[in-house]
Amino acid sequence: MPKGVPGGELLDLTVTSESLDNGNYFFVELQCIIREAHQDLQWKVGIDGKSLRQVSPNSHRYIFDRVFDTSNSTQDVYEEFGKPLVLSAMEGINGTLLAYGQTSSGKTYTMMGDEQSEGVIPKSFKEIYDYIEKHPSRKFEIHISYMEIYNEDIKDLFNPSKKNIKIHENPQKQVYVGQLTEKVVSCVTDFSKHMAFGEKNRHRWATRMNDKSSRSHAIFRVHPSRKFEIHISYMEIYNEDIKDLFNPSKKNIKIHENPQKQV
């Protein structure tokens, strides 16, 4: 969870989600609810972990899919929303994890983490390769791209010279960003190296609430593609003789049955 602020304490992280036809879409709303050091607690999370209300008579109760408080960690957020999305993506279902909130509410901390605590995105990297290791019969190729949206201008964070990139729509009505640099990664270290490079190219400057505030929207895209091995053969049956047409010297080939009764 985001660290406290001088003279106050961060109280709650609110998370909502919804489902789209083409896959899973998780919307993470980071609400910075700050209590001054001398003030009493103003908001309280329900025991069901899905509601939030002010600590005052006749206050309204707000219902969400899930509400995390200061006792929860980034790992809790990841286990509930990040991990299911990553596993679905590895099975071919599109998904998005979006952090939204005011300046200094903890978006970057939750998604990227710091030296002491990994964020949701680094945890996702490990999940991807853990999945690959558990499915050795499946061959994957992982492509990544990283873009920034700042003042309605899209910039390629892997190649900062590419600016004002256009958004396109293909004949299947799918929206995509053209000319983005894609990197092929083969391990968690590759992920981290490319992300660190992209982060250096983002717009940042100090604000009254954050000395390293991200001043733009950033989208890190991971595209796992599965590779298939296709085996073909070509034979001819003539006068009860089977001949290999890829290797004509092989003639009078025999038919066999394996233990699974397959011919």
Side-chain angles (χ1 to χ4, degrees):
M1 294 293 294
K3 299 175 182 177
V5 296
E9 177 186 357
L10 180 64
L11 300 183
D12 293 290
L13 167 64
T14 303
V15 180
T16 63
S17 70
E18 61 179 295
S19 177
L20 294 181
D21 292 338
N22 65 339
N24 295 323
Y25 178 96
F26 291 101
F27 179 86
V28 181
E29 179 183 353
L30 301 172
Q31 283 193 325
C32 184
I33 304 172
I34 299 175
R35 177 182 65 183
E36 296 298 330
H38 63 278
Q39 290 182 334
D40 294 329
L41 185 66
Q42 298 296 311
W43 293 86
K44 184 178 181 180
V45 177
I47 58 175
D48 58 357
K50 296 184 178 182
S51 61
L52 187 67
R53 69 184 306 163
Q54 281 186 302
V55 183
S56 60
N58 303 317
S59 63
H60 183 75
R61 182 166 172 257
Y62 298 92
I63 306 298
F64 300 91
D65 294 306
R66 183 72 165 88
V67 181
F68 297 93
D69 61 21
T70 51
S71 67
N72 296 113
S73 64
T74 303
Q75 184 64 30
D76 296 328
V77 178
Y78 176 74
E79 289 290 336
E80 185 137 357
F81 292 98
K83 184 174 182 177
L85 184 144
V86 172
L87 295 179
S88 294
M90 297 304 290
E91 295 291 339
I93 301 174
N94 293 335
T96 300
L97 187 63
L98 172 67
Y100 174 82
Q102 72 178 60
T103 297
S104 197
S105 61
K107 301 182 297 296
T108 301
Y109 179 86
T110 301
M111 299 300 282
M112 303 296 295
D114 60 16
E115 294 179 356
Q116 286 74 41
S117 176
E118 283 186 332
V120 169
I121 293 177
K123 291 180 185 294
S124 299
F125 298 162
K126 293 183 177 179
E127 196 74 53
I128 289 172
Y129 284 100
D130 181 62
Y131 180 94
I132 292 175
E133 288 180 4
K134 291 178 179 178
H135 299 81
S137 62
R138 303 182 186 182
K139 305 299 181 183
F140 288 93
E141 189 169 85
I142 310 297
H143 297 255
I144 60 173
S145 58
Y146 200 11
M147 73 183 92
E148 176 188 63
I149 304 172
Y150 178 72
N151 283 345
E152 299 184 4
D153 179 20
I154 299 176
K155 182 174 76 171
D156 186 341
L157 291 175
F158 287 158
N159 186 350
S161 64
K162 292 183 178 180
K163 300 179 181 180
N164 197 25
I165 300 174
K166 304 301 181 184
I167 298 175
H168 305 275
E169 184 179 73
N170 64 22
Q172 290 73 42
K173 304 298 182 181
Q174 296 171 325
V175 176
Y176 66 96
V177 178
Q179 299 180 326
L180 271 181
T181 302
E182 282 198 344
K183 302 287 187 180
V184 177
V185 292
S186 58
C187 62
V188 174
T189 302
D190 286 348
F191 264 114
S192 302
K193 178 184 69 176
H194 290 304
M195 170 151 276
F197 176 82
E199 280 293 294
K200 292 179 180 178
N201 296 318
R202 291 191 63 186
H203 283 83
R204 299 179 185 276
W205 64 73
T207 67
R208 293 179 62 185
M209 299 182 70
N210 193 336
D211 60 349
K212 293 182 180 180
S213 180
S214 304
R215 308 312 300 162
S216 63
H217 303 286
I219 300 174
F220 190 89
R221 182 174 179 266
V222 181
H223 179 209
S225 59
R226 187 175 172 186
K227 298 189 294 184
F228 294 89
E229 292 185 356
I230 300 176
H231 301 270
I232 62 173
S233 60
Y234 195 17
M235 62 182 172
E236 175 188 65
I237 303 175
Y238 180 72
N239 286 341
E240 299 183 357
D241 179 22
I242 300 176
K243 182 173 71 173
D244 186 342
L245 294 179
F246 286 155
N247 187 350
S249 63
K250 292 184 179 180
K251 300 179 181 180
N252 196 25
I253 300 172
K254 303 300 181 183
I255 297 175
H256 302 277
E257 183 179 76
N258 63 22
Q260 290 75 39
K261 306 298 183 181
Q262 296 172 327
V263 175

